[in-house]
Amino acid sequence: MSRILVVEDEPTIAIALQDDLELEGYDVEAVSDGLSAEARALQGNYDLILLDVMLPGKDGFSVCRALRRAGMKTPVIMLTAKTQVADRIAGLDIGADDYITKPFAPEELIARIRAVLRRAGTQNAGLQTVCSFGDVTVDFERYEAKRSGRAVDLTALEFKLLRVFLEHRGKVLSIDDLLRLVWGPDVFLTDRVIYTHINNLRSKLEDEPARPRYLVGVRGLGYRFDG
Ligand code: CA
């Protein structure tokens, strides 16, 4: 299921968008200002962002530009007002993938979303190379992790484990899931080994490793990445 971040400050439009998209089977989250949009987009693993131009805090163009500058490749569709003709062109210049003029029919928007997702799916499947949560930033291409700007030393296995968690944000992964996704189907390990790796990651990335905020244990089920 594709995850869409809706950024729209007009509540009626935001609610209508959310309803239309959920009806189409998309997993939708909504924010109503530019600054939260930027923070959420950088942290969440979205497949697409619907971004209004006129927003409180930071306008849609600046948000889009900041995301692209941060190396984020998630497709962006700008929502522009009818009069913002010059804006449309600027929107494409700053790295947006498409734009749609308000007011628009839901069918038209859905068609645009499908087209953009289809294009994106063939270009970059999976996680973007740079991810962040809290004060941690991880670059999976360069194998670099930083916490509050300082380098954190992660082993190759810890990078892999973290990547699997980030690819499944908010979902509970059982020990079997982790074993299969991180080590592969033919490897046999005791649960203890996996706990140890998770605890090591916690001690490197969490403020209070004993009370983790991100790598959360779910009693009897496994682990879930929150954030
Ligand atoms: Ca607006």
Side-chain angles (χ1 to χ4, degrees), residues 25 93 114 121-122 189 227:
D93 280 350
R114 283 202 188 125
T122 55
L189 293 174

Side-chain angles (χ1 to χ4, degrees), residues 15-133:
I15 290 166
L17 278 173
Q18 189 149 7
D19 287 350
D20 290 341
L21 296 175
E22 280 173 353
L23 215 62
E24 285 296 312
Y26 294 112
D27 188 358
V28 183
E29 276 180 50
V31 290
S32 56
D33 71 276
L35 292 171
S36 346
E38 191 177 321
R40 285 289 270 285
L42 287 173
Q43 294 197 353
N45 193 16
Y46 299 102
D47 299 292
L48 185 132
I49 301 167
L50 278 185
L51 186 55
D52 187 28
V53 174
M54 298 294 286
L55 291 168
K58 193 167 188 178
D59 69 83
F61 291 142
S62 306
V63 172
C64 186
R65 202 176 292 124
L67 296 180
R68 294 296 181 246
R69 219 172 269 157
M72 186 174 219
K73 299 187 179 86
T74 309
V76 173
I77 299 180
M78 306 289 309
L79 307 176
T80 71
K82 209 168 194 174
T83 49
Q84 296 164 318
V85 178
D87 286 356
R88 297 185 205 169
I89 295 140
L92 298 178
D93 280 350
I94 51 109
D97 297 79
D98 201 357
Y99 65 86
I100 189 159
T101 310
K102 290 186 202 173
F104 46 79
E107 308 80 64
E108 193 194 348
L109 178 66
I110 302 292
R112 296 288 186 93
I113 288 174
R114 283 202 188 125
V116 168
L117 282 175
R118 210 161 36 231
R119 272 206 309 267
T122 55
Q123 285 163 8
N124 55 320
L127 195 66
Q128 61 238 22
T129 53
V130 181
C131 289
S132 61
F133 52 94

Side-chain angles (χ1 to χ4, degrees), residues 48-211:
L48 185 132
I49 301 167
L50 278 185
L51 186 55
D52 187 28
V53 174
M54 298 294 286
L55 291 168
K58 193 167 188 178
D59 69 83
F61 291 142
S62 306
V63 172
C64 186
R65 202 176 292 124
L67 296 180
R68 294 296 181 246
R69 219 172 269 157
M72 186 174 219
K73 299 187 179 86
T74 309
V76 173
I77 299 180
M78 306 289 309
L79 307 176
T80 71
K82 209 168 194 174
T83 49
Q84 296 164 318
V85 178
D87 286 356
R88 297 185 205 169
I89 295 140
L92 298 178
D93 280 350
I94 51 109
D97 297 79
D98 201 357
Y99 65 86
I100 189 159
T101 310
K102 290 186 202 173
F104 46 79
E107 308 80 64
E108 193 194 348
L109 178 66
I110 302 292
R112 296 288 186 93
I113 288 174
R114 283 202 188 125
V116 168
L117 282 175
R118 210 161 36 231
R119 272 206 309 267
T122 55
Q123 285 163 8
N124 55 320
L127 195 66
Q128 61 238 22
T129 53
V130 181
C131 289
S132 61
F133 52 94
D135 56 358
V136 177
T137 310
V138 191
D139 186 327
F140 287 103
E141 217 162 69
R142 300 165 64 98
Y143 281 85
E144 283 176 355
K146 282 182 181 168
R147 204 174 142 207
S148 302
R150 284 194 200 155
V152 178
D153 199 18
L154 298 186
T155 65
L157 187 79
E158 285 162 355
F159 270 109
K160 202 168 172 189
L161 182 58
L162 184 58
R163 191 183 173 100
V164 165
F165 273 116
L166 289 168
E167 282 171 342
H168 299 85
R169 283 187 201 232
K171 294 191 180 104
V172 175
L173 295 172
S174 67
I175 291 295
D176 283 347
D177 291 335
L178 290 169
L179 189 58
R180 180 172 44 84
L181 294 166
V182 179
W183 283 268
D186 304 321
V187 177
F188 295 93
L189 293 174
T190 60
D191 294 0
R192 192 70 233 156
V193 175
I194 299 172
Y195 301 148
T196 305
H197 286 293
I198 289 173
N199 284 333
N200 289 345
L201 256 189
R202 281 173 168 166
S203 65
K204 291 178 183 183
L205 304 177
E206 299 270 1
D207 286 338
E208 292 183 78
R211 293 198 305 161

